Every structure is written in C-alpha cells, then in structure tokens.
Amino acid sequence: MDLSDLSPAQREAVTHGEGPLLMLAGAGSGKTRALTHRVAYLIDSGRARPGEILAITFTNKAAREMATRVDRLLGGASGVWVHTFHAACLRVLRREAEGVGYPSTFAVYDSADQERLMRQVVQESGRSEREWPAAAVLARISRAKAELVGPEAFRRRYGGEFRADGVADLYARYQRALEASAAMDFDDLLRLAVLLFQTRPEVLAAYQERFRYILVDEYQDTNTAQYAWVRLLAGERRNVSVVGDPDQSIYGWRGADFRNILRFREDYPGARVVRLVDNYRSTGRILAAANAVVRHNAERLEKDLVATRGEGVPIGYAEGSDEAEEAALVVGEIARLIGEEGLAPSDIAVLYRTNAQSRPLEEALLRLALPYRLVGAARFYDRAEVKDALAYLRLVVQPRDRVAFVRAAQSPRRGLGEAALARLVAYAQERGGDLVQALAEADAVPGLTAPARRGAAALAEVLAQAARMEAEGRGPVAVLSFLIHESGLAAHLEGQRGVDPLAEGRLENLDSLVGKAREAEGQGISLSADFLAQVALASSLEEAAEGEGAVTLMTLHTAKGLEFPVVFLTGLEDGLFPHVRSLAEPAQVEEERRLMYVGVTRARDRLYLTRARARAGHGQSGTAVASRPSRFLAEIPQDLLAPFGAAAPVLLAPSRPWGGAVARPPTAAPAWTARPVWEGTEGGAFAPGEEVVHPHFGPGTVVAVRGSGPEAVVSVAFPGGGVRHLLVAYAGLRRVGA
DNA sequence: TATAGTGATGTTTTT
DNA sequence: CATCACTATA
C-alpha cells in the first residue's frame, strides 16, 4: 500500500500496531485520511481481516464516505463495519435483543415519536403539557440516559432540585411506555448496548473476539455511554484508535464530553499519542483567525494550527441593516464570485447558527436565481403522509408500537377517535399489549361506537394480511405498497385531489417512499424491520443531493467535517451566535466559541463574516431588535479583516429561464432594473392550470391562487418537488412561452 | 363522540 | 407559515 503521500505524523498513526492510539488532529490536518488509511493498512498488512475491524463515525454520511474510501484503497469491497455509534449498536442489538429483554422486532423511535409518546405520558400522569413540555422533559432525560443514569438514579441524584422529581417520575413512566411499545429511543440504543455487554459476559466476549480493532472518529463528541461501550468492547486487547480535536467539541448539549479525549491517556495507559497540527486546508489568514478565536477558551489543550499554504486574501466583513440586507450582501458577493471570478456555486457554503436563519438567505438567492441546496431542514421521512404510511408498516413489524398505532388508526379517519383509542389501548394492556390484536377483537372491547368497531375491524384485516405477506418474505416494497393502497391512505388522498392542492404532492411522496424501500431492497434489506430502522436513523443530511452546481446552506453544526473553497459565516451577533441560551454558562459560551472555530476552519480560500445590525424578533412582523456584534468578531485580529460589498445594492433581478447557465451578473452597467418581477407578468394574475417556470424549482403547474397582485400566493405543483406556495412578488415565476 | 375548521403560537444545535 | 391545540358542529 502506498503511504508515500502521507506526512510523517500521519504515517506514524497509520502504521501504529497493537495497543491504544490517540490522534489529536486539528481541523484540516488530514485526520479522515489518516483514519481511512489506517483501516486499509490494518487489512493490507495482514494484521486484521476486514470483518475484524469496527470503525465508528459521527454521521451516516461520514460512514458511507469512509467505507467507500477504504474500499478504494484496497481495490474492492472489503466488508469493514463502518457505522455511527447508533447504527453499530442497533446492529448488535437486533441480534441480541433478548439479552436485554426486548423482542428482536423492537421499534426504533425517532425524536418525533419520542415527543408523541412523552406527550401521552405527561397527560396520563395528570400533568399539564404547558408546564411539562415534552421536548424539554425529554432533553433532560436524554442527558441522563447518555450518562447511563436511570430513573431511580436520576431521582437520587437530582431529587429536590427544580422539577427534578417530576422529571424523574416522567422518566420512569416514559421508560415503561417505551418498553410496553417494544421500542427503543436513540439513547436506548446506546444505553442498552452497554447494558448488554455489562450483563452478558459471553455476548461481550464474542464481540471482543470478533472486533480486534476499533477506530473512533470525532472522539471529542462521545458521551458517557459511547465511551463505556468502546471501553467494554476494547477489553484486554485495547486495540483502540481514536481521533479527535477537543477544539471541535460542539455537542456538549447532547451529553458529549470532550474530557473523554483529554482523559484517553489515563484510561488507556501507554497509549501512543500522535499530534496532527499541520493544516493543509486553509490559508494563513483564515487559520490565524481560527487560532485567535479559540485561544480565548480557558478549558483547553494548547494547540495552534500550523499553516502550510500562503497567507491568502483578507477575511471579508460586512454588516446589513437587517437580516434581509445581510442576506443581500452575502448573495451579491456570491453572484460576484461566480460571475467575475468564475467560481462554481458548489464551491460556496453559507453557514448560520440556527435553521431559522436560512429563510432570508433563500429569498435572496431565489431573487438572483442562484441555485442552492438547503441541508438539514425538513426530513423526507418527517412528512405527515410518509409517517402515516410508515406507521402501518411499523404496526405490522411490531404490533405493540403505540405511537405507530395511534397514528395509523387515525389517518385516514375511520371512526376511531380519542376515546376509542384509549379503550383499545387499555384493552390491549390488559392482555399483553398487542394493539393489533385489540383491533381484531374490537367487538369484545367495551364502550366502542358502531363506526369505531367497523373501522377497527377493517384496519385489523388489512394489518393481518400485511403481516402474512411479511411473514412470507415478500419484502418491504410489497408490504408497504399493499398497506398504502389497502389502508385507505391512498384512496383518501386521491379523494382530496382537487380539494386540497397538496394532495397530489402527498401521493407523489408516497410513491417516493416506496422507491426508498425499493432502494433498500436493492441493498439487500429484505425485512421491513430493517428498512424501518434505516429510516429511523436516516438524517436529513444525507438526503440533500451532493453539491451539483448549487450553493450550500446549512447550520454550523452540520458543516462539521466538511470544507468549501468559500465560506460565509452569517448572523455574527451576540445572542444569536453565541446563542442567548448559552450566555449564562461560561462553559457553554466556550462551546459556542468552538463552533465558531469549526465554522472558520471550514473555509479553504476565502472566508466572509457578516451580521445584521437589527434582526426581526420571533414574531415575523416588524419588530426588529437591535443587535450587538458577536464577541467572537472582536477576538479576531482586525488587520485580518477587510470590508466587502459596500456599494453594490442588490436589487430585484429579473427572473431567468430555468435550466440555463448560472446567473452571470453584469459587471459594468447592470442590464437589470429595479423593476419588480411581477410587473413583467403580462396578463396579470396567474390562474390555476397555467404552466409556469420557477427559477429554482423548474417547470410546474399552477394549482391554486390566493390573493392578487404582488401579494398573491400561488400554489405550484412541481413534478417530483411537490406543491410549493410562492409569493408572486419574490418567486420570479414566468409563464411558459411568456 | 368524531371531525373539520379556526385560532394561537412558537425558533439551538442532531444521532 | 406550519403545526398543534381548541372549539363548534354534526
């Protein structure tokens, strides 16, 4: 294997033999490369067979990338386990579920499912949902689970503190409800995987024997459960290689503890430590800014990134009077970079602290007809109709899944209301918890109305038939399409066509869902349970199509691990970034600062920093609040900065036929005028049925119009893209042929 | 008692 | 602006 293109430090890490290894790797120092090469090296040198290596990454996307790169280095599919902690634990638990008292068909609850269940639990405990918001309670419970603290331990530890007794009670109830549903939430996947190893020495021994080498990426973001799991699995052999950067620990809020990496040498005495500090990614100025910012953290290992490239150009800085102007400045500069400097849109990323900040940026990009992709917003799997369809499938796989039951029973409406569901659930709980069985025996359930009985019987029949199909091994595609059509879901949506302009798009989404199942089957997934697990762990990040000629918009958190030639960091205001909710705790401000460090170090060649002098408060209308510049700005040496984009105000641009080359803004005399685009819409308002073209979404059909003039909202159906509601004033819609 | 329609209301970051 | 909780109606 060719190791000649590695630095000496990288090579030392890659060729390390037995025993613990700690790679302290700064941003852009080639840690992923080192990790990937190490996996390949272990196999290539005969130290391990592919099946004996477990590599843990932080995201599914990173896992896929690493697997691909390892395979490429080895010249073929290798079969190394490359997974996130959650996926790896899930895979183990699926095989060993009985060991922790679960059926192997256990369901996996995503955060929406967790919230639904918690809301029910709060209600059943007689508490008010206003006083005990499910999300907040779950956040505390999640932290506890990440630290392997159960309900009882929680009460012992925090009892008497503000609301802790209530949370402890809800924790215990929630856990019982999960178990009754034969479901695990994300934290349980880790917690129970640890429990399994702790209580089943023979199981642990088998996995220790199997995984002779363990590699963990982003080790600074591991929580107690993940830490413990690795420790157990590593056993006496201690062949653990971890990579991380304490300065990039940004998940403390979900239980990650960067002290895990600082402690590594104590936990694994004799560990070899390799430091990767040479940065191959960014220009000198960008690194100087990154170093300067993170140096303000008190709790930290001293470590400066060393530049290996030239100084580069100054860091751009600009302020807008409000978020719209800030966005216009950013987008104006983007247009200039593309038009004058020949950069591709995919070279550019715009980062922000909160998802809500994307909107003004999107609007500005749409106005200039610049293509963009928004990473990490709404998940496909979070759409209502998709969740409906999946709820049916979940019930087939796991008839005790209560969240799925409630959802499936009520969509479409079939005479089963709140009261009927409560009775069915109660009936089921008295005899083992099988909710589908309760449906089938609805005639025996007291207190149901006649329509409720009919609805229950019909649903039970469909589910029974689907269960038969599943048992015959017909696969997720067949079972899912059967359910979509026989449950009445498709029929209901078809009936809504013409009434609800969204119905068409929903039907298309159901088709896409079946398509996803088909894809999964193509990857060898033949059980619906496995398909559902894949769905639950899928994040919104992986769905966004890869860079194809579009500017990338995403949060700073999702940008971790990525790099772009040009990066804009927006919303640099105290209270937004650092976020208000971190301001009270110095440790949390330090985490925000690390987030800033992560953001800055995403940039290869050019970095821009922006803020708005005032920003609209939460309510949308009018009330903009003055802001102060982010404290992180002042921490950057001012001689690294230079203003940008001062003079050129970005006006409304005329729309451009979709599909053409990327907008090339005129350099000298602008050919465009400030004329709002709707004035060009000859013949006035749009009407349903008209064919139109949208600069970003492409061709579509108008399905509904509300209001008139520039304020009008047009609903347009795009093939594949569903239905979007567009404000005529901004959408830049053109009639076909106009 | 189920449902459809109408208001209020809310935004940190994610496996 | 979209979900969700609440209310009026059937």
Side-chain angles (χ1 to χ4, degrees), chain A residues 29 31 42 48 63 88 219 270 273 306 321 339 341 376 436 466 517 521 553 608 624 646 676 725:
Chain A
S29 62
K31 74 181 167 77
L42 289 172
Y219 193 70
V273 180
V306 179
S321 58
E341 311 214 7
V436 175
E521 280 189 13
L553 260 49
Y608 294 91
H725 309 288

Side-chain angles (χ1 to χ4, degrees), chain A residues 351-371:
Chain A
L351 310 183
Y352 36 79
R353 178 66 239 268
T354 69
N355 279 119
Q357 287 166 254
S358 70
R359 195 164 293 273
L361 291 163
E362 288 182 77
E363 283 166 6
L365 286 160
L366 285 171
R367 223 168 293 156
L368 290 200
L370 290 168

Side-chain angles (χ1 to χ4, degrees), chain A residues 392-393 395-396 408 414 436 439-440 454-470 479-489:
Chain A
Y392 287 105
L393 190 61
L395 270 187
V396 169
R414 52 167 65 81
V436 175
L439 282 176
R454 273 197 300 278
L459 180 56
E461 178 50 33
V462 173
L463 290 171
Q465 222 171 314
R468 246 171 278 136
M469 293 172 68
E470 177 70 20
V479 180
L480 191 57
S481 9
F482 172 82
L483 286 167
I484 288 172
H485 292 103
E486 299 305 315
S487 67
L489 191 57

Side-chain angles (χ1 to χ4, degrees), chain A residues 54-60 62-64 66-67 80-89 91-92 211 215 217 537:
Chain A
L54 172 64
I56 300 289
T57 60
F58 197 67
T59 64
N60 293 305
R64 256 202 314 275
M66 182 179 295
V80 177
W81 268 41
V82 189
H83 287 304
T84 63
F85 271 111
H86 295 269
C89 290
R91 215 168 149 180
V92 170
F211 293 119
L215 297 94
D217 196 7
L537 291 181

Side-chain angles (χ1 to χ4, degrees), chain A residues 627-642:
Chain A
S627 71
R628 302 185 59 80
S630 169
R631 61 194 66 187
F632 303 148
L633 275 172
E635 294 169 2
I636 297 175
Q638 301 301 294
D639 60 341
L640 294 173
L641 303 178

Side-chain angles (χ1 to χ4, degrees), chain A residues 28-304:
Chain A
S29 62
K31 74 181 167 77
T32 310
R33 240 167 87 88
L35 205 56
T36 312
H37 275 79
R38 175 154 172 77
V39 173
Y41 172 83
L42 289 172
I43 297 166
D44 196 57
S45 66
R47 286 183 178 273
R49 278 172 291 153
E52 293 172 337
I53 297 176
L54 172 64
I56 300 289
T57 60
F58 197 67
T59 64
N60 293 305
K61 185 163 167 253
R64 256 202 314 275
E65 259 167 39
M66 182 179 295
T68 312
R69 286 169 69 169
V70 168
D71 289 354
R72 201 182 313 140
L73 282 172
L74 293 170
S78 64
V80 177
W81 268 41
V82 189
H83 287 304
T84 63
F85 271 111
H86 295 269
C89 290
L90 173 68
R91 215 168 149 180
V92 170
L93 286 168
R94 208 44 103 188
R95 294 180 61 97
E96 313 285 345
E98 325 79 63
V100 289
Y102 273 79
S104 64
T105 53
F106 64 84
V108 177
Y109 275 13
D110 67 14
S111 32
D113 298 322
Q114 292 177 44
E115 249 179 73
R116 283 233 156 66
L117 187 65
M118 180 54 85
R119 214 174 284 146
Q120 290 168 22
V121 166
V122 169
Q123 274 172 10
E124 282 166 10
S125 77
R127 291 180 172 85
S128 95
E129 291 193 61
R130 211 176 45 77
E131 250 182 294
W132 299 90
V137 175
L138 280 169
R140 283 191 79 178
I141 292 175
S142 174
R143 288 292 291 271
K145 285 191 181 184
E147 286 164 28
L148 301 172
V149 172
E152 272 317 302
F154 186 91
R155 191 190 306 277
R156 263 181 271 122
R157 192 185 288 196
Y158 302 108
E161 283 178 31
F162 179 66
R163 298 225 152 155
D165 295 297
V167 172
D169 178 53
L170 289 170
Y171 186 0
R173 289 169 182 267
Y174 170 72
Q175 214 52 41
R176 279 200 296 274
L178 272 180
E179 280 159 30
S181 285
M184 300 184 191
D185 64 16
F186 285 158
D187 302 303
D188 281 338
L189 292 175
L190 306 174
R191 191 181 63 89
L192 293 171
V194 171
L195 188 71
L196 174 73
F197 284 171
Q198 283 172 336
T199 55
R200 297 293 173 125
E202 75 288 357
V203 175
L204 174 61
Y207 282 94
Q208 283 174 337
E209 188 50 35
R210 158 145 198 198
F211 293 119
R212 307 175 75 86
Y213 286 89
I214 306 166
L215 297 94
V216 186
D217 196 7
E218 308 282 10
Y219 193 70
Q220 77 282 354
D221 281 322
T222 52
N223 63 32
T224 303
Q226 293 164 334
Y227 164 85
W229 192 72
V230 169
R231 193 104 204 254
L232 284 162
L233 191 54
E236 299 287 306
R237 202 179 273 123
R238 303 193 316 145
N239 279 337
V240 183
S241 307
V242 306
V243 192
D245 178 1
D247 286 336
Q248 293 189 67
S249 164
I250 56 175
Y251 284 97
W253 51 273
R254 75 177 208 210
D257 187 351
F258 69 94
R259 281 166 305 198
N260 283 341
I261 193 168
L262 300 181
R263 265 200 334 239
F264 186 82
R265 273 172 289 185
E266 294 152 44
D267 296 324
Y268 297 89
R272 183 199 294 249
V273 180
V274 178
R275 286 166 188 270
L276 304 179
V277 290
D278 286 338
N279 177 291
Y280 304 104
R281 179 187 294 156
S282 311
T283 66
R285 281 194 175 90
I286 290 168
L287 292 179
N291 286 329
V293 167
V294 79
R295 231 176 268 143
H296 283 80
N297 274 354
E299 194 178 3
R300 166 175 129 87
L301 216 63
E302 279 302 318
K303 166 179 70 62
D304 266 5

